[in-house]
Amino acid sequence: MKANSVVMCWIILVVLVCVEFEGCVGSKTDEAYVTLLYGDEFLLGVRVLGKSIRNTGSIKDMVVLVSDGVSDYAKTLLRADGWIVEMISLLANPNRVRPKRFWGVYTKLKIFNMTNYHKVVYLDADTIVVKNIDDLFKCGKFCANLKHSERLNSGVMVVEPSETVFNDMMRKIKTTASYTGGDQGFLNSYYPGFPNAHVFEPNLAPEVLSSRSIPEMERLSTLYNADVGLYMLANKWMVDENELRVIHYTLGPLKPWDWWTSWLLKPVDVWQDVREQLEESLPGTGGGQNPKDSFLVKFLFLLPFCALLFCCYHSFTKSQGYFSSLCRNSLCDQVRHLCYRIRSSGPLAYTNIFTSTTNSIHQLLNGDQNKVPGYLGGISVCVCFMVALVSLGLALLIVPRQVMPWTGLLLMYEWTFTIFFILFGGYIRLIYQWGKIVGSRVASSLSHPELSDYESEKRHQRQMLACDVAPWYYGLGMVMLAIAAPSLPCLFGITALFLRLGLMVVGGIILASFMTYASEHLAIRSFLKGFDEHNIARNSNSCFFC
Ligand SMILES: *[C@@H]1O[C@H](CO)[C@@H](O)[C@H](O)[C@H]1NC(C)=O
């Protein structure tokens, strides 16, 4: 008897708990969070949004409406994350004049047709919930946030689905003007009185709520749709940060899932924090990773190192004894050279090394001016900048967009440098060959004994200079400046977007001037070296400039 009553008690308790938390028995709630997914590009955004909703303790349904552009893998992953995936067909955009990316945005109107829910809170895939927003389900029949002066933003909306409203919308869709050429413009025209709507008050007493009629429209405060554009203006949230509910990452192409955005916009840190908490719903998807990307990242990270190792090994076996003695000698020479410089010039050593090497080059160059084509310097500078642009562009293309910010940055550097040094190194070697050709031509046309004496003396002089590490100085200088330029804002702790960009530009200008100087000198050196060595078969290692 006693055991029976205990069991009864338990059953009652379980039932009570289940009534308290509707989701417990897996029954559908009559309220849901909804988002839209047109393609796999926004998949990570939806995952993070879902995680952020669950982080705030909400147990409402989460529905993602997916169109046919979404892969089966994405759907499976979203289901594993706890989303209810519903297929929808795209609603054609009736506007002929519209941005290209707006072809399917009218599909958003289909949330008005989700009549199996009493109320839905729609959130764009580029939003994140930072504080519980379940109180939004208390909002009127249509709620949104005013932005862009007197216009509503369709990024966060509360909608009471209704077949009547939806059909009315479908009837008017072709005749209603849209200032954006998209759904947002349509909704602004469809709800012309919206700017006059009252602000939604989440903490109204239940008596007031039950006594009033449900408002047709209500305005949401900025807390429910705080866009990063707002943050960027003042470099802080211009609302109470502790009360912030929804952050909306609407800065044109700067989407939070692209690794570089994190380095430009401070509020993306919040998004990245949630992304790191993503569970491994499917193998290899923990932390918002993508199994395909993870493999690619490892491959991309290792490839340049493998190539470098192979190259060094290759040049090592090619010139074994020669190579080691050369290395030892030139290294010793360099250290001695440096020590001498430092001793002789004290604290200004660094600048002195540069100016003095430059001077000696100039001395050499002066005598050789007639040998070097006048336009070589100019061409080299152009080539250098073009190569820099190409390597930057290629690296951007190669590195997967949705990796973690640090991974993206490191890969970006690795690949920019790799491509730059391969291309520019190739150019320098080409100049060297050119110098050789010109050299042998000159040598065959004039062969004065005294001149060749002078030449050989100078060749000796230049040989000393030839295998110094000047190219390394230049290369390292470029690498260091390239790293320093973008990190200047971080070093100074600057978070304002425009100041950040400004500082980066300053760093970029310094880098560009250094590149101008370095590329010109490297090219002229290599030309002269080729000129002098026109009858020497070259067998030093082929990896590097020198
Ligand atoms: C609207 O919803 C109803 C029922 O859920 C469905 O039959 C209809 O196809 C939907 N309309 C559109 C245009 O999607």
Side-chain angles (χ1 to χ4, degrees):
M1 278 325 261
K2 206 158 182 209
N4 254 356
S5 61
V6 168
V7 168
M8 277 304 282
C9 271
W10 269 110
I11 289 174
I12 290 169
L13 209 84
V14 167
V15 168
L16 276 179
V17 166
C18 281
V19 167
E20 194 79 2
F21 300 99
E22 286 168 82
C24 161
V25 281
S27 74
K28 283 175 73 135
T29 53
D30 67 345
E31 293 167 337
Y33 290 102
V34 182
T35 191
L36 265 170
L37 187 61
Y38 298 113
D40 284 9
E41 193 192 331
F42 282 46
L43 171 64
L44 187 56
V46 174
R47 290 195 72 199
V48 172
L49 173 63
K51 179 71 188 164
S52 75
I53 292 173
R54 289 293 180 240
N55 276 356
T56 64
S58 176
I59 51 156
K60 308 270 183 204
D61 276 6
M62 300 194 304
V63 181
V64 56
L65 306 177
V66 298
S67 65
D68 24 329
V70 177
S71 68
D72 289 336
Y73 174 78
K75 288 177 216 159
T76 315
L77 180 55
L78 287 174
R79 275 193 202 102
D81 272 357
W83 286 90
I84 297 168
V85 177
E86 277 182 22
M87 296 293 297
I88 46 159
S89 55
L90 285 178
L91 215 56
N93 189 329
N95 298 293
R96 241 168 283 142
V97 187
R98 60 178 151 90
K100 213 174 154 203
R101 64 192 167 91
F102 275 15
W103 52 276
V105 290
Y106 269 71
T107 313
K108 201 186 269 186
L109 299 181
K110 289 209 172 174
I111 58 176
F112 288 88
N113 194 31
M114 297 177 70
T115 42
N116 44 357
Y117 286 103
H118 169 62
K119 197 160 271 177
V120 294
V121 169
Y122 171 82
L123 295 156
D124 267 350
D126 57 356
T127 58
I128 190 175
V129 178
V130 289
K131 201 167 180 197
N132 192 294
I133 53 168
D134 280 353
D135 52 7
L136 275 185
F137 291 104
K138 290 191 259 172
C139 201
K141 290 182 179 164
F142 176 76
C143 308
N145 171 252
L146 268 197
K147 276 212 180 89
H148 325 118
S149 310
E150 264 72 57
R151 276 157 172 165
L152 69 90
N153 177 272
S154 61
V156 177
M157 294 188 291
V158 185
V159 168
E160 191 178 286
S162 143
E163 214 176 326
T164 330
V165 174
F166 180 69
N167 290 338
D168 187 47
M169 280 180 171
M170 290 304 105
R171 252 196 318 278
K172 293 181 179 162
I173 204 167
K174 286 215 168 68
T175 51
T176 308
S178 165
Y179 80 98
T180 54
D183 60 295
Q184 182 165 305
F186 171 83
L187 285 171
N188 271 286
S189 304
Y190 190 82
Y191 291 103
F194 190 81
N196 300 321
H198 286 290
V199 175
F200 165 62
E201 182 56 64
N203 299 320
L204 279 184
E207 311 89 75
V208 182
L209 275 176
S210 54
S211 64
R212 67 166 189 179
S213 60
I214 299 170
E216 286 297 316
M217 317 172 226
E218 277 184 291
R219 274 172 52 189
L220 298 179
S221 86
T222 303
L223 295 171
Y224 291 100
N225 187 352
D227 64 312
V228 279
L230 181 80
Y231 183 96
M232 285 303 132
L233 286 176
N235 197 33
K236 60 173 191 241
W237 293 112
M238 288 186 284
V239 289
D240 184 2
E241 221 174 307
N242 297 319
E243 282 302 309
L244 209 60
R245 307 292 167 94
V246 179
I247 302 178
H248 191 178
Y249 296 92
T250 45
L251 223 60
L254 292 176
K255 291 298 173 203
W257 40 83
D258 291 329
W259 65 263
W260 55 82
T261 310
S262 202
W263 298 103
L264 294 171
L265 307 181
K266 180 102 191 347
V268 175
D269 295 353
V270 182
W271 192 93
Q272 289 287 354
D273 282 348
V274 178
R275 178 238 182 106
E276 279 169 29
Q277 298 165 22
L278 278 175
E279 279 128 34
E280 191 163 355
S281 318
L282 291 183
T285 57
Q289 283 176 329
N290 174 333
K292 256 184 283 167
D293 278 1
S294 322
F295 175 75
L296 189 62
V297 162
K298 281 184 198 120
F299 176 75
L300 286 176
F301 185 72
L302 289 176
L303 188 65
F305 287 109
C306 292
L308 188 73
L309 274 180
F310 173 76
C311 196
C312 286
Y313 174 76
H314 185 69
S315 60
F316 179 72
T317 48
K318 224 170 108 185
S319 51
Q320 238 161 357
Y322 171 79
F323 180 73
S324 57
S325 74
L326 178 102
C327 259
R328 205 177 315 122
N329 284 345
S330 64
L331 210 72
C332 285
D333 284 351
Q334 262 318 299
V335 171
R336 218 173 295 139
H337 187 71
L338 254 172
C339 286
Y340 171 74
R341 294 272 181 214
I342 289 166
R343 220 178 300 140
S344 64
S345 53
L348 287 169
Y350 185 70
T351 47
N352 261 4
I353 290 170
F354 269 97
T355 48
S356 59
T357 34
T358 328
N359 284 343
S360 62
I361 292 169
H362 271 302
Q363 278 160 21
L364 284 177
L365 294 191
N366 282 341
D368 299 324
Q369 212 61 280
N370 47 346
K371 292 182 208 161
V372 181
Y375 47 84
L376 181 63
I379 291 180
S380 305
V381 174
C382 289
V383 169
C384 182
F385 278 96
M386 257 154 55
V387 164
L389 275 183
V390 166
S391 30
L392 209 65
L394 277 180
L396 260 180
L397 276 182
I398 290 172
V399 177
R401 294 171 62 163
Q402 301 191 354
V403 292
M404 298 297 236
W406 270 108
T407 315
L409 190 72
L410 290 180
L411 273 183
M412 185 70 193
Y413 269 124
E414 186 178 340
W415 276 88
T416 311
F417 290 152
T418 306
I419 299 171
F420 181 84
F421 285 118
I422 288 174
L423 289 182
F424 196 65
Y427 169 75
I428 291 292
R429 292 191 69 76
L430 214 69
I431 295 295
Y432 171 81
Q433 297 298 340
W434 183 19
K436 260 186 158 175
I437 294 167
V438 175
S440 52
R441 208 180 293 149
V442 170
S444 59
S445 67
L446 56 119
S447 37
H448 286 279
E450 50 198 302
L451 195 74
S452 74
D453 233 24
Y454 163 74
E455 282 288 314
S456 82
E457 200 265 325
K458 242 183 40 188
R459 180 178 305 159
H460 175 73
Q461 205 182 340
R462 214 177 284 143
Q463 213 91 73
M464 301 269 296
L465 204 87
C467 223
D468 65 5
V469 279
W472 286 99
Y473 285 149
Y474 289 130
L476 277 180
M478 277 193 227
V479 168
M480 248 124 88
L481 279 175
I483 291 173
S487 43
L488 270 182
C490 293
L491 289 179
F492 291 120
I494 288 166
T495 52
L497 175 67
F498 295 112
L499 214 56
R500 259 189 198 191
L501 288 177
L503 260 182
M504 285 184 194
V505 167
V506 171
I509 290 173
I510 297 172
L511 175 63
S513 1
F514 184 75
M515 272 166 59
T516 308
Y517 169 84
S519 58
E520 189 177 352
H521 279 263
L522 277 176
I524 292 177
R525 288 172 75 91
S526 132
F527 182 87
L528 287 176
K529 216 165 138 207
F531 190 93
D532 288 344
E533 297 174 358
H534 60 84
N535 47 5
I536 303 171
R538 203 158 142 84
N539 63 345
S540 69
N541 83 57
S542 52
C543 270
F544 309 108
F545 299 143
C546 155

